[in-house]
Amino acid sequence: MFTGIIEALGTITAVRTEGSNRHFTVASPFFSELQIDQSVAHDGVCLTVVALDAAAGTHTVTAIDETLQKTNLGSWAEGRQVNLERCLAAGGRFDGHIVQGHVDLTAECESVQDQNGSWLYRFRHATGPGRVTVEKGSICVNGVSLTCFNSTDDGFSVAIIPYTHEHTTFRHLQPGDRVNLEFDIVGKYVAKLLRR
């Protein structure tokens, strides 16, 4: 389980395709604290560390075809920065919201507005069961726990403070870019129960 509070930015140093799988090698500041089999969220996608390279200071994760189809990982290339978060430690501080690292779908960034001290982002996504946002509710965008507003059936807005803008990949996000979305788990369960 994750909280959507980004610990660090990682940089993809290598991408290798093997059958329908894709392996991503990532350099990060907390490389030395990782272990093989550990789960790490990369732009909100829970991936398992499968290899470590002490000399290079990198870890490698594997994305299967299902993950590549439902996320934006298929477009990742060397040099891309990604938001990283390790799993919540038992007894750790719970600062964001419950994030599983199971991306529901991708969304398109429609607009970015510099508001002289904060940034306003608008996202549009496909409608469907469980794709629910509520005004002032939680949403996870590329692994970042945020509060959404101007919520509609197919979109929402978020406001980004300077710290988040500086310490996540939001500073690189442009209109037309695709992001990973994980809707609030509580909202998904309520939506499913109400459909019964």
Side-chain angles (χ1 to χ4, degrees):
M1 185 177 72
F2 305 94
T3 66
I5 304 300
I6 303 305
E7 291 186 80
L9 290 176
T11 302
I12 297 174
T13 61
V15 180
R16 182 173 60 88
T17 300
E18 181 181 35
S20 62
N21 297 338
R22 198 161 298 169
H23 306 284
F24 300 98
T25 300
V26 183
S28 76
F30 54 62
F31 153 79
S32 62
E33 300 173 45
L34 297 180
Q35 299 175 357
I36 290 177
D37 283 343
Q38 186 172 1
S39 294
V40 178
H42 297 68
D43 270 7
V45 183
C46 179
L47 298 169
T48 301
V49 175
V50 297
L52 296 167
D53 184 336
T58 61
H59 68 275
T60 299
V61 293
T62 301
I64 61 173
D65 186 60
E66 169 75 5
T67 304
L68 295 171
Q69 296 299 319
K70 293 215 172 146
T71 68
N72 66 4
L73 272 68
S75 67
W76 287 9
E78 289 182 27
R80 179 189 177 105
Q81 285 194 308
V82 294
N83 297 318
L84 298 176
E85 180 190 359
R86 290 172 289 178
C87 287
L88 178 66
R93 193 175 303 261
F94 199 89
D95 291 322
H97 72 281
I98 297 172
V99 176
Q100 295 180 299
H102 304 160
V103 170
D104 293 300
L105 76 163
T106 61
E108 180 179 345
C109 178
E110 283 196 317
S111 63
V112 180
Q113 297 175 25
D114 185 335
Q115 299 197 310
N116 193 27
S118 66
W119 290 263
L120 181 67
Y121 291 80
R122 180 75 188 170
F123 297 98
R124 185 162 305 281
H125 59 81
T127 59
R131 298 172 182 175
V132 178
T133 58
V134 295
E135 203 72 9
K136 307 303 182 192
S138 296
I139 186 76
C140 190
V141 179
N142 275 356
V144 183
S145 174
L146 298 166
T147 301
C148 56
F149 58 95
N150 294 335
S151 178
T152 63
D153 288 343
D154 66 349
F156 60 92
S157 298
V158 294
I160 304 297
I161 64 172
Y163 182 90
T164 303
H165 192 265
E166 180 181 346
H167 291 90
T168 70
T169 58
F170 265 92
R171 68 178 184 262
H172 304 303
L173 200 57
Q174 299 293 322
D177 288 349
R178 296 210 69 79
V179 297
N180 297 319
L181 289 188
E182 181 180 334
F183 294 94
D184 181 44
I185 186 64
V186 175
K188 288 191 284 190
Y189 277 119
V190 170
K192 184 169 184 177
L193 288 170
L194 290 176
R195 285 197 308 272
R196 289 186 175 176

